Each structure stands twice: as C-alpha cells, then as structure tokens.
C-alpha cells in the first residue's frame, strides 16, 4: 500500500516570504500522480497543483511550484510571495495511475502566515 | 471549473437513526465518486469508491452494511449512515472523477458535518 508522509505538522512564514512544505511517499508503482490540496477553515478541498510522475518537469501554478524528486520519492511544495489567504491546511496526496482509485493523503501541514 | 455539491452541509441526528448524504457533480459526468471521512484535526481517509451502476468498493475496516452507498446516475452518489452512533460524528467529503477528462483529477464537494447525539 502507498503511504504519504508530511513531517511538518505546522509551518509559519512572514507575509511576502517563501515557504516550502515537505512531502515524501512510498510506492512500488512507476505510474502515478501527486497532488497538493489546500483546505481553508471552510474545509473545502482546493486543488493547488498536480504532478504526473512520468513528467520530469516540475509543475508550477503562479506562486506555487513543486520540487519533484522521483528517485527520492519526494514532492515538496514551494509557495512564493506568501499571502494571508494562503493560510490553511495543506495536504499532499497520491493517486495510482491507470486506475479509478481514491487518493491517499498525508496528515497535513498547518500553514500560518504572519502579517 | 468542475463543481461538486453535497447536501446537507450540516446534519444533527439522534443515535440510532439513519442519515443520507447526497453528492452531485453539477457540470460533468462522474462514473466514479469517492467518499472520505475526516475527523477533527486529522487527514482525509478514503472510505469507499462509488461506481455508477455497480456495487461500491469499501476500504478495509469500513462496514459496508453501516455505510450504504448508491450511485444510481452519472451525477449522483448517496451515502447513508445507518443506525448512526456518536462515534460516527465526523466530516464526510465526497469527490468526483470527471469521466471525460484526460487529466486525473478529483473534484471535491464542500463536505457534510454529521453530529450524532
């Protein structure tokens, strides 16, 4: 079974600064997807960024980018120019490629933005 | 973007009663939907995979007779918590997989807070 590990229960960053959230995973598969989801206090899950394992290029979405290290099974999220609205729980998630499977989530990182 | 709704958003019920939660994909068809449960300050745990026109598949440790899932159409899946007890109090979230999309993405509903007294 796949596992996803987020070793940072909480992170704090000053507004406008950059922060990196860590995620590692364990799998024996070669085809899979990785995601970062944001869950604000409303608890609505919001997709931040997606990475296909077969793509070597790191995904980026505006201020959000990932550092995908397939051999190390690492998938960190970098948030640049942090904004107050970025404060939320961030979950790293794994999806097995080629199948209609659910997501396996990490335990989450609570991100605090200091004004 | 794709929108998934859930109803109700909040439900309080007495112990021993049954509660039905609906999950709808509003602007796309979803052959597959998923039900997750999230306890306070914890992560999402997959409960079951809901397949249109066939039986749901449940994760290990999830009682299929307690959590009844019906996926009668390409846009609607329902989760019924039967004979609910206080330990079933949780946040239930559904997600839907866009059948027509080439990108593997699940769209999440806003969740349902269940409180069993």
């Amino acid at each position: 079974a796949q596992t996803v590990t987020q070793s940072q229960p909480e992170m704090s960053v000053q507004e406008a600064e950059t922060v990196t959230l860590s995620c590692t995973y364990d799998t024996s598969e070669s085809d899979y997807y990785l995601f970062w989801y944001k869950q604000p206090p409303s608890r609505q899950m919001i997709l931040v960024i997606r990475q296909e394992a077969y793509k070597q290029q790191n995904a980026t979405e505006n201020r959000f980018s990932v550092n995908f290290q397939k051999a190390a099974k690492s998938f960190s999220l970098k948030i640049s120019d942090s904004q107050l609205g970025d404060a939320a729980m961030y979950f790293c998630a794994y999806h097995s490629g080629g199948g209609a499977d659910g997501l396996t989530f990490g335990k989450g990182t609570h991100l605090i933005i200091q004004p | 973007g794709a929108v998934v709704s859930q109803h109700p958003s909040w439900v309080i019920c007495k112990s021993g009663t049954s509660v039905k939660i609906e999950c709808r994909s509003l602007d796309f068809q979803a052959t597959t939907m998923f039900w997750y449960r999230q306890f306070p300050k914890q992560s999402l745990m997959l409960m079951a995979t809901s397949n249109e026109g066939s039986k749901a598949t449940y994760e290990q440790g999830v009682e299929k007779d307690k959590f009844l899932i019906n996926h009668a159409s390409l846009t609607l899946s329902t989760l019924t918590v039967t004979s609910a007890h206080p330990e079933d109090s949780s946040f239930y979230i559904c997600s839907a997989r866009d059948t027509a999309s080439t990108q593997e993405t699940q769209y999440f509903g806003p969740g349902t807070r269940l409180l069993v007294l």
Side-chain angles (χ1 to χ4, degrees):
Chain A
Q2 293 79 26
T3 58
V4 178
T5 302
Q6 292 179 250
S7 59
Q8 305 155 316
E10 187 174 280
M11 290 285 284
S12 181
V13 64
Q14 291 286 130
E15 194 176 1
E17 297 295 307
T18 295
V19 65
T20 298
L21 307 184
S22 301
C23 173
T24 59
Y25 59 95
D26 188 24
T27 183
S28 58
E29 300 174 334
S30 59
D31 181 24
Y32 53 88
Y33 299 81
L34 296 165
F35 305 86
W36 279 98
Y37 280 91
K38 170 184 177 181
Q39 188 180 44
S42 68
R43 303 186 80 173
Q44 170 74 59
M45 296 293 284
I46 301 167
L47 176 65
V48 175
I49 203 162
R50 173 203 302 109
Q51 175 80 43
E52 293 91 335
Y54 66 86
K55 290 187 177 179
Q56 293 188 338
Q57 187 171 8
N58 290 324
T60 61
E61 288 288 342
N62 301 314
R63 298 182 295 107
F64 299 88
S65 62
V66 297
N67 183 2
F68 174 47
Q69 301 290 326
K70 191 172 184 179
K73 296 180 181 174
S74 171
F75 182 62
S76 61
L77 174 70
K78 185 172 82 172
I79 305 174
S80 304
D81 186 25
S82 298
Q83 300 176 0
L84 294 177
D86 295 333
M89 284 293 293
Y90 285 81
F91 292 98
C92 179
Y94 174 101
H95 181 279
S96 178
D101 297 332
L103 298 174
T104 300
F105 286 90
K107 291 187 175 182
T109 297
H110 181 211
L111 179 63
I112 298 168
I113 310 295
Q114 306 274 10
Chain B
V3 179
V4 175
S5 70
Q6 273 185 250
H7 179 80
S9 56
W10 252 113
V11 58
I12 302 173
C13 69
K14 293 182 179 180
S15 185
T17 61
S18 295
V19 174
K20 180 186 285 188
I21 303 170
E22 293 186 348
C23 176
R24 293 182 186 272
S25 56
L26 298 186
D27 49 3
F28 65 98
Q29 293 185 333
T31 306
T32 306
M33 292 184 176
F34 304 91
W35 288 96
Y36 297 84
R37 181 166 53 184
Q38 185 179 31
F39 290 108
K41 298 189 184 299
Q42 294 189 23
S43 186
L44 283 75
M45 294 295 293
L46 179 66
M47 298 176 65
T49 301
S50 173
N51 303 297
E52 188 268 335
S54 64
K55 289 183 179 181
T57 54
Y58 292 81
E59 296 300 300
Q60 192 172 9
V62 178
E63 300 175 57
K64 62 181 181 181
D65 293 331
K66 180 169 186 62
F67 298 99
L68 301 179
I69 291 172
N70 183 273
H71 194 152
S73 78
L74 287 173
T75 59
L76 173 64
S77 174
T78 60
L79 169 69
T80 301
V81 184
T82 62
S83 186
H85 288 95
E87 58 265 30
D88 298 323
S89 298
S90 188
F91 189 63
Y92 292 86
I93 310 175
C94 73
S95 72
R97 185 168 175 261
D98 186 347
T99 305
S101 175
T102 57
Q103 292 190 321
E104 184 57 54
T105 300
Q106 293 182 20
Y107 301 97
F108 284 84
T112 297
R113 290 171 174 79
L114 170 63
L115 177 61
V116 185
L117 301 177

